[in-house]
Amino acid sequence: MNTIFAKSVPGRCSAVIDSDAPDAARMLPPNLLRARPPRLPECSELDVVRHFTNLSRQNFSVDANFYPLGSCTMKYNPKFLEYVAALPGFTRLHPLLARLGDSHAQGALRCLYETERLLCEITGMEAFSLQPMAGANGEFAGVSLIAAYHREVGRDRRILLIPDSAHGTNPASAALAGFEIANIESRDGMVDPRALAAAIAAHQGNVAGMMMTCPNTLGLMETHLPEIVKQLHDIDALLYYDGANMNAILGKMRVGDAGFDVVHLNLHKTFATPHGGGGPGSGPVGVNAHLLPFLPVPRVEKRDGLYLLNDDFPHSIGHIGPFYGSFGVAVKALAYILRLGGEGLARVAEYAALNANYLKKRLEDVLDIPFERICAHEFVASAPEGLHALDIAKALLDRGFHAPTIYFPLIVRECLMAEPTETESKETLDAYVEALREIIAQGRDDPHALGEAPLTLPARRFDETAAARHIRITEDME
Ligand SMILES: *Cc1c(COP(=O)(O)O)cnc(C)c1O
């Protein structure tokens, strides 16, 4: 048993409680007091440090492994961002101090304000709110803004169009905001303007907007964007841009200029802040001028050289997250953007696309690549005939590489979707290619050989359905 409870020894302790610490029993009303003390592990500090350090080493992480998880941008998280966000002026600030007039939180408010301005500059949008706490939360905010827009002009439009190459959270967010979803089938990996026109005609007068991931989850830039934008704007429907993975277009294309009305970004992907277990996330939502009145409150404003919070937006969709979002994440993203500057951000896009295309090219002869075109920051491939993407993914773990995303997007057979990111070296990419070649050769020799992988990790294969259905996130107390 690998829990901290197994290491517990009665009477052992690593905390010293001051004898003059306030006595909770006297401060809390009796109905809030526990009847019995909690069962806690009794361990020395060293036991605790070793336990959690060793647990953390059983995980894959960007700090330890190449992590080409498509659509999830596991780029390196520079350590100086942690230093900046941990400055006591930020960490010791209570969020409500920002409400207490001029002098208390000017620096923090300025960070939020400038982050919003920089995101506007990067995307070509009019305004941003940093409040959403994750990408999907930003999507929910964004589609709620679309709903508010139509409501405001007195229209009841119920349909959001979503291409089959969109990210899976898109339909989920749209449904949560009360929309019905109409799927647009792609053609050659692209949104097909004719399929779009047909969908608009089929749902006449009822289309509120369309959500697009671009480059899409096949790693391809849409080639019909101007036509798509026109078709939607002609019926006063709005265009949503899923900008979770902006790596390929940073400094190259501004989605506002391209005609998108609302966008969310993932600071915890594109802007190098940690995610997964290392989160929290941040999914700022940006809008053009006609959606501005509906943005979440409070908004950060600058007046007469002072920063303040303004709640006075009667058409706002309200709060979408607590306070002002993931403040520390915004600070990290701000530091990242300022450190790279415009030129550095454009170079991110160049290297992200270069690395993905290099990897795709080098794997062409062992994987089936369904789209021959130059890709953006990621690409999709199918496992060779007779082999399973799952087995290849598990075999990669044995060789010290995190697996690419598998079986997504759904429209690609036995899909392996890889995003190397701009922060990886050629040597790392080459080592990954060699590992994949070796695995595929092994699988060809003996199709059952890969079925056992991973062999070297603390856990083998999971029942993933059961793990999701009967999730247990606390340590076993028994
Ligand atoms: C990751 C991702 C999301 C969702 O972001 P979360 O922070 O995980 O909620 C949405 N769209 C795309 C394209 C993504 O890659």
Side-chain angles (χ1 to χ4, degrees), residues 217-230:
T217 58
L218 303 167
L220 301 176
M221 232 15 236
E222 295 289 341
T223 45
H224 306 292
L225 259 190
E227 202 179 332
I228 294 167
V229 173
K230 181 170 182 329

Side-chain angles (χ1 to χ4, degrees), residues 215-275:
N216 63 30
T217 58
L218 303 167
L220 301 176
M221 232 15 236
E222 295 289 341
T223 45
H224 306 292
L225 259 190
E227 202 179 332
I228 294 167
V229 173
K230 181 170 182 329
Q231 282 197 32
L232 285 151
H233 285 174
D234 278 352
I235 55 162
D236 200 20
L238 302 181
L239 210 58
Y240 185 98
Y241 183 92
D242 180 333
N245 302 283
M246 282 244 308
N247 299 307
I249 65 164
L250 280 177
K252 300 288 174 189
M253 168 191 158
R254 302 206 315 166
V255 296
D257 300 343
F260 286 91
D261 302 283
V262 47
V263 50
H264 92 268
L265 310 174
N266 278 27
L267 300 188
H268 51 289
K269 290 180 184 168
T270 308
F271 296 95
T273 72
H275 61 125

Side-chain angles (χ1 to χ4, degrees), residues 71-72 134-136 139 167 169-170 213 242 244-245 264 266 268-269:
S71 188
C72 283
E139 287 173 31
H167 193 263
T169 46
N170 289 187
T213 306
D242 180 333
N245 302 283
H264 92 268
N266 278 27
H268 51 289
K269 290 180 184 168

Side-chain angles (χ1 to χ4, degrees), residues 132 134-147 169-170 172-179 211 240 264 283 285 317 319-320:
N137 197 202
E139 287 173 31
F140 176 68
V143 292
S144 301
L145 296 171
I146 294 180
T169 46
N170 289 187
S173 303
L176 207 59
F179 286 108
M211 297 181 83
Y240 185 98
H264 92 268
V285 62
I317 59 168
H319 267 267
I320 206 84

Side-chain angles (χ1 to χ4, degrees), residues 24-34:
R26 288 219 315 269
M27 296 168 67
L28 292 173
N31 64 323
L32 292 182
L33 292 177
R34 285 176 168 277

Side-chain angles (χ1 to χ4, degrees), residues 175-200:
L176 207 59
F179 286 108
E180 289 159 35
I181 290 113
N183 179 47
I184 309 286
E185 267 185 46
S186 50
R187 233 173 101 98
D188 300 328
M190 301 284 99
V191 173
D192 175 10
R194 273 175 301 179
L196 176 60
I200 289 174

